[in-house]
Amino acid sequence: MSLLDRYPEIEVAGTPREMGRQLGDATREEIKTFCEVALQRLDETMQVSRQRAQELSEQCLPAAKEYSADCIEELEGIAEAVDVPFWKIMLLQVRNQFTPEPDAGCTSLSVPTPSGKGAIVAQNWDNDPALDPFTIMLTRRPVGKPALMTLTQAGLISYIGFNSAGIGACLNSLPAPSRSRGVPHYFTLRELYEAHSLAGAVEAIRRAERAIPANIMLATPEGPADLEVTIDSVQVLRPEGTSWITHTNHCLHPELCQYNEQFPELIGSHPRKARIDELLQACSADPGVEEIKAALRDHQGHPRSICRHVNDDPDHGYWQTVFSVIIEPEEQRMHVSRGTPCSAEYELYQL
């Protein structure tokens, strides 16, 4: 095993500001570079000027602070330690509010654990490989709240991971209306990690004035669940006809399926959904970690396969499966491949 196979592992603890400062001290150069890359990508892909980026970052601040003052305080600690203007740290949280990411093609699933006391949640994260240098495995131990471990880009308030109370979460893009102002998606995800139950997780999302749609695949103490989140509603999906649930990048809840006709399909979403269901159906029992690994390595339908590789598509050929992750909240651990799961081994990270 090479250290290059593993993401840098960082642990912070204390009050929100203390954790922010510790994280800023540990990842100062990564965060500074990530801020500049975010500004550059917004300018290149959407012609968003630095001034406009700052304006939106500041406009979202009141709603974000009302929703979670602790999140703002942690980000202030990061800005202080890194020595960058606060709006740049805020920009990392809101950059997806300029436009939904049309090329994200993530495939996610949640299956019951062998004990029946929770679930295993997993996904391939299809995105821009340029984000790899800023990606870390971050453990936070906040005062008076559940500990959480997230696979994230340095500087984000939250991302893919799990908490010590048995809640795990993976993320998919979802086609539905959005708005430029509102509580950042990553703030609602962070509040979700303070929950101890499915009901608590749902309430963390519902109470936000949300800006963008998203799909959140969950492992909960009550078993597998999925949240289709729009700016107006949070729809809860549970397994039907199987013990597990899967999702790609189109709406499944009957009240939201209208959006599938209004927004273009994201990178073969329907075929990927059919394929992951087919692979899990073929398992003789409920899928475990090894069966999930095999499913996430699948290449049927390349280049729009579950395991996605760089290809010559002029619009989104540079996107690939940057990492694959399998989360076991009951065991307090994650299995992660740094790169496509067909070419990189899964490494174990323990809370």
Side-chain angles (χ1 to χ4, degrees):
M1 180 195 73
S2 164
L3 286 177
L4 294 176
D5 296 331
R6 294 180 68 83
Y7 289 106
E9 296 169 74
I10 295 167
E11 182 166 325
V12 299
T15 65
R17 191 171 295 272
E18 287 170 345
M19 290 193 297
R21 286 172 174 161
Q22 292 164 27
L23 179 57
D25 286 338
T27 59
R28 183 173 291 110
E29 293 310 313
E30 289 87 349
I31 292 175
K32 279 186 175 181
T33 307
F34 187 21
C35 288
E36 292 309 309
V37 167
L39 280 164
Q40 180 182 346
R41 285 293 166 92
L42 285 172
D43 184 39
E44 290 175 350
T45 60
M46 286 168 275
Q47 292 74 55
V48 174
S49 68
R50 181 174 290 248
Q51 180 182 355
R52 176 64 185 131
Q54 180 174 349
E55 286 173 356
L56 180 67
S57 300
E58 293 172 345
Q59 286 166 358
C60 290
L61 187 55
K65 191 168 187 175
E66 182 179 355
Y67 177 77
S68 176
D70 281 357
C71 284
I72 293 296
E73 192 172 336
E74 183 175 325
L75 295 177
E76 287 173 343
I78 292 174
E80 291 167 3
V82 177
D83 192 24
V84 296
F86 179 73
W87 72 263
K88 286 190 176 182
I89 300 299
M90 196 65 187
L91 176 68
L92 300 181
Q93 324 307 315
V94 304
R95 68 194 194 284
N96 53 11
Q97 292 171 213
F98 287 94
T99 182
E101 295 179 340
D103 303 329
C106 305
T107 303
S108 64
L109 58 97
S110 185
V111 305
T113 59
S115 70
K117 295 180 180 178
I120 301 170
V121 64
Q123 79 172 110
N124 279 356
W125 189 69
D126 300 348
N127 212 302
D128 184 349
L131 296 177
D132 178 83
F134 318 119
T135 303
I136 58 174
M137 185 65 76
L138 176 59
T139 296
R140 290 179 174 96
R141 299 189 184 275
V143 176
K145 298 177 180 180
L148 64 150
M149 175 180 266
T150 54
L151 184 55
T152 182
Q153 285 80 56
L156 294 185
I157 199 65
S158 193
Y159 216 68
I160 294 163
F162 67 93
N163 71 8
S164 57
I167 300 289
C170 289
L171 308 173
N172 306 66
S173 294
L174 195 71
S178 62
R179 53 192 169 205
S180 60
R181 301 184 195 182
V183 176
H185 171 51
Y186 303 133
F187 275 54
T188 63
L189 188 62
R190 178 63 177 272
E191 290 291 294
L192 180 149
Y193 289 127
E194 296 184 8
H196 293 73
S197 65
L198 174 57
V202 172
E203 178 55 28
I205 308 298
R206 278 193 175 142
R207 71 179 183 84
E209 183 184 335
R210 299 173 299 278
I212 66 169
N215 189 78
I216 306 175
M217 183 65 73
L218 290 175
T220 76
E222 297 91 341
D226 184 82
L227 308 182
E228 289 191 337
V229 180
T230 70
I231 60 176
D232 298 316
S233 71
V234 180
Q235 302 295 347
V236 182
L237 301 172
R238 300 300 301 272
E240 290 185 11
T242 63
S243 60
W244 37 263
I245 190 168
T246 64
H247 208 285
T248 50
N249 306 102
H250 58 276
C251 298
L252 302 178
H253 193 278
E255 292 186 22
L256 302 181
C257 285
Q258 57 177 317
Y259 295 131
N260 295 335
E261 304 301 319
Q262 298 175 24
F263 292 83
E265 183 178 8
L266 299 181
I267 309 188
S269 180
H270 288 80
R272 278 187 291 110
K273 173 78 166 69
R275 180 58 176 165
I276 194 70
D277 287 343
E278 179 184 358
L279 291 168
L280 297 187
Q281 289 277 17
C283 297
S284 56
D286 284 339
V289 170
E290 293 308 312
E291 289 81 9
I292 294 170
K293 288 180 181 178
L296 294 177
R297 289 174 174 137
D298 187 74
H299 291 114
Q300 181 171 301
H302 174 80
R304 299 185 170 200
S305 47
I306 292 171
C307 184
R308 180 174 172 80
H309 291 255
V310 171
N311 59 80
D312 58 6
D313 186 293
D315 294 323
H316 41 65
Y318 70 98
W319 287 60
Q320 68 179 41
T321 298
V322 180
F323 59 71
S324 182
V325 56
I326 303 168
I327 304 170
E328 296 181 276
E330 186 180 359
E331 304 294 337
Q332 299 285 280
R333 66 191 182 193
M334 280 197 260
H335 310 258
V336 180
S337 76
R338 187 173 187 175
T340 54
C342 65
S343 62
E345 292 297 321
Y346 283 87
E347 301 283 340
L348 188 64
Y349 299 82
Q350 188 81 43
L351 180 65

